[in-house]
Amino acid sequence: MKITMIGTGYVGLVSGACFADFGHTVTCVDKDESKIAAIRGGKMPIYEPGLDGLVAGNVAAGRLGFTTDLAEGVKGADAIFIAVGTPSRRGDGHADLTYVYAAAQEIAEALDGPAVIVTKSTVPVGTGDEVERIMREARPDLEVAAVSNPEFLREGAAIEDFKRPDRIVVGTDDPRATAVMRQIYRPLYLNEAPLLFTSRRTAELIKYAANAFLATKITFINEMADLCEAVGAEVKDVARGIGLDNRIGSKFLHAGPGYGGSCFPKDTLALIKTGQDYDSPIRIVEAVAQVNDNRKRAMGRKVIRALGGEARGRKVAMLGLTFKPNTDDMRDAPSLAIVQALEDAGADICAYDPEGMEAAAALMPKVTMVSDPYAAAAGADVLVLVTEWDVFRALDLKKIAGLMTAPILVDLRNIYPAAEASAAGFTLYRVGGVDAA
Ligand code: NAD
């Protein structure tokens, strides 16, 4: 199959490279010239484990190409995927569909034959109808099917997720589009692909329902963590105790500083907006978004409490800035709100993150970025573990304690057992633990 990917970001680049790896011929298009130039020069615009090798191999094999020329890119394509951003619209939280509709318009004008237009971006119910309308209006001469195919990959494990997804959701009732989509995804499976065909509107909603459910699960355990602190219980054991029940499952039950990233915050807001627009409010998700929003700044207050209530002029060392490990994505990362809360209280912040510092520096200009965890800890009054990167899981705590003015650790990911921290001389504050403040 000949596939074109419009938008070469986290989703477009990974999906394009994986489709090429399965033998399809793929052209990735992006209007960002510097991005395309960098990729062509062998430099990935994002950090994603394994991506550079996957891209290089498929470019060398002649199956994967990159261009800024959309018209050139869509020529002769069996399927054209739209994988552009759908950020929150300023002001009302609705998904901003400007990029999706602009891409659809450009594709329509450039088409040179019948095509299947596949929306991979996360878009609210009804967006596919509008994409179809744009296509029909611009090109009444062509047979065009608009399909929904939401993406479920996780940054940091994107290649594995794309190649071995739990399910592939395809929303269409068009027989030709159904056949094309089967053909595109068939190589991913030796036996039958876990393809779930639904109506287009249903497929669009599945993506939001999935993300809202996961955000709810995280927020649920975070509120349980607060209750654990209040009553003297241990949230890790609560999570294990409920997670071993197969009906609940153990994933997404890690208490922490609140969810962030490029998807959960904006997708929960967009779903809330859709619910309100259709007079069918989703009150659980409304509560989740509100609780999570408050939580991130509350983590800043937790650090201030660990400092004895006064942060002015104190030095805070932060380990991890990205919203999760193995990505450089800083979009809506909890660290942003934590830094803001601490800076508002007069603290000086020094931080280290293995991949996120370049993106973070632009968003938190007053934070001093350093080259390793030990440099961050030097002279600090408190150490805050924000993102659970592997390199932070086995730090030499004794050495770090010796570098600090006072060995206080606020472990927002519950990595370090109380015994280990106190053996190294630390006063430990955790999330949802009996030893927490
Ligand atoms: P991104 O911002 O990393 O990439 C989008 C790219 O599209 C940018 O490089 C931009 O320059 C390009 N673009 C925009 N308009 C264009 C046009 N008209 N022509 C060509 N290129 C254009 O975004 P992302 O993180 O890859 O997300 C894309 C979509 O996938 C969003 O809807 C998101 O919600 C969804 N999604 C993201 C993830 C994730 O983990 N990042 C996972 C699942 C779904």
Side-chain angles (χ1 to χ4, degrees):
M1 289 262 137
K2 187 171 182 311
I3 295 172
T4 306
M5 204 50 79
I6 310 296
T8 308
Y10 284 87
V11 167
L13 182 53
V14 170
S15 311
C18 288
F19 278 143
D21 211 42
F22 280 107
H24 297 306
T25 303
V26 181
T27 304
C28 289
V29 180
D30 205 290
K31 61 180 184 188
D32 183 338
E33 284 176 17
S34 62
K35 201 173 257 193
I36 294 299
I39 301 171
R40 281 186 172 152
K43 190 175 175 323
M44 295 301 107
I46 55 169
Y47 174 74
E48 183 62 44
L51 186 60
D52 42 3
L54 189 74
V55 168
N58 284 285
V59 168
R63 288 189 298 262
L64 181 60
F66 297 91
T67 181
T68 52
D69 185 346
L70 187 142
E72 183 62 36
V74 304
K75 264 190 198 141
D78 296 299
I80 298 153
F81 285 75
I82 299 177
V84 300
T86 49
S88 279
R89 193 162 68 190
R90 265 177 210 281
D92 68 359
H94 237 298
D96 182 349
L97 297 171
T98 316
Y99 304 107
V100 172
Y101 294 148
Q105 188 68 43
E106 281 182 71
I107 294 166
E109 285 159 17
L111 280 179
D112 60 351
V116 176
I117 312 299
V118 189
T119 305
K120 200 162 238 335
S121 299
T122 301
V123 294
V125 167
T127 306
D129 303 353
E130 181 62 13
V131 168
E132 190 170 277
R133 191 195 62 74
I134 291 170
M135 292 292 158
R136 290 204 191 297
E137 210 169 283
R139 299 302 299 269
D141 54 317
L142 288 180
E143 240 185 78
V144 181
V147 175
S148 165
N149 172 220
E151 181 51 56
F152 297 95
L153 64 78
R154 294 163 302 166
E155 288 175 18
I159 294 169
E160 177 65 20
D161 282 354
F162 192 88
K163 288 189 164 184
R164 273 169 278 278
D166 292 338
R167 79 307 204 186
I168 298 154
V169 174
V170 179
T172 181
D173 52 14
D174 182 289
R176 187 173 59 91
T178 303
V180 168
M181 295 304 284
R182 272 195 200 287
Q183 193 66 13
I184 286 174
Y185 280 107
R186 189 197 48 76
L188 270 71
Y189 289 87
L190 291 177
N191 297 321
E192 209 179 333
L195 275 164
L196 174 64
F197 282 94
T198 68
S199 76
R200 192 164 59 204
R201 287 187 159 232
T202 304
E204 289 169 339
L205 191 54
I206 286 171
K207 173 66 190 176
Y208 283 101
N211 274 0
F213 191 86
L214 294 171
T216 303
K217 216 173 164 189
I218 294 172
T219 306
F220 178 84
I221 202 65
N222 282 341
E223 287 212 305
M224 282 299 136
D226 290 349
L227 184 59
C228 282
E229 291 181 19
V231 303
E234 171 56 58
V235 76
K236 276 191 163 185
D237 294 337
V238 171
R240 189 165 152 77
I242 63 174
L244 284 171
D245 184 329
N246 286 331
R247 293 169 303 177
I248 295 174
S250 58
K251 292 184 176 160
F252 281 73
L253 285 182
H254 300 285
Y259 61 76
S262 63
C263 293
F264 287 1
K266 81 171 174 64
D267 291 350
T268 45
L269 285 187
L271 181 63
I272 290 166
K273 208 68 204 164
T274 301
Q276 290 166 352
D277 283 354
Y278 284 82
D279 279 330
S280 183
I282 307 152
R283 282 177 286 260
I284 288 181
V285 183
E286 288 177 5
V288 163
Q290 199 179 34
V291 168
N292 191 68
D293 216 34
N294 292 337
R295 184 171 188 81
K296 299 184 204 175
R297 209 171 152 87
M299 293 300 113
R301 293 196 294 276
K302 189 180 177 77
V303 176
I304 296 169
R305 275 200 306 278
L307 281 167
E310 182 54 65
R312 189 152 303 279
R314 311 292 293 281
K315 185 178 165 193
V316 178
M318 282 182 50
L319 298 187
L321 296 169
T322 52
F323 78 100
K324 67 173 177 181
N326 295 323
T327 181
D328 58 354
D329 200 338
M330 280 297 297
R331 288 178 281 188
D332 263 317
S335 64
L336 293 165
I338 299 172
V339 163
Q340 190 63 60
L342 290 168
E343 286 181 347
D344 289 349
D348 296 319
I349 302 168
C350 181
Y352 170 71
D353 186 283
E355 297 292 339
M357 290 198 293
E358 198 181 319
L363 301 167
M364 35 182 84
K366 284 195 243 157
V367 173
T368 308
M369 304 288 172
V370 295
S371 58
D372 71 77
Y374 301 93
D381 300 305
V382 61
L383 182 72
V384 188
L385 220 156
V386 182
T387 315
E388 69 279 29
W389 285 89
D390 282 348
V391 289
F392 301 148
R393 288 170 186 258
L395 294 168
D396 183 343
L397 288 187
K398 274 211 174 84
K399 181 175 166 189
I400 288 189
L403 294 167
M404 297 175 63
T405 60
I408 301 171
L409 173 61
V410 180
D411 182 356
L412 298 180
R413 299 290 180 175
N414 291 344
I415 292 174
Y416 286 98
E420 194 177 329
S422 69
F426 271 101
T427 303
L428 177 68
Y429 297 86
R430 299 164 61 246
V431 174
V434 286
D435 51 351

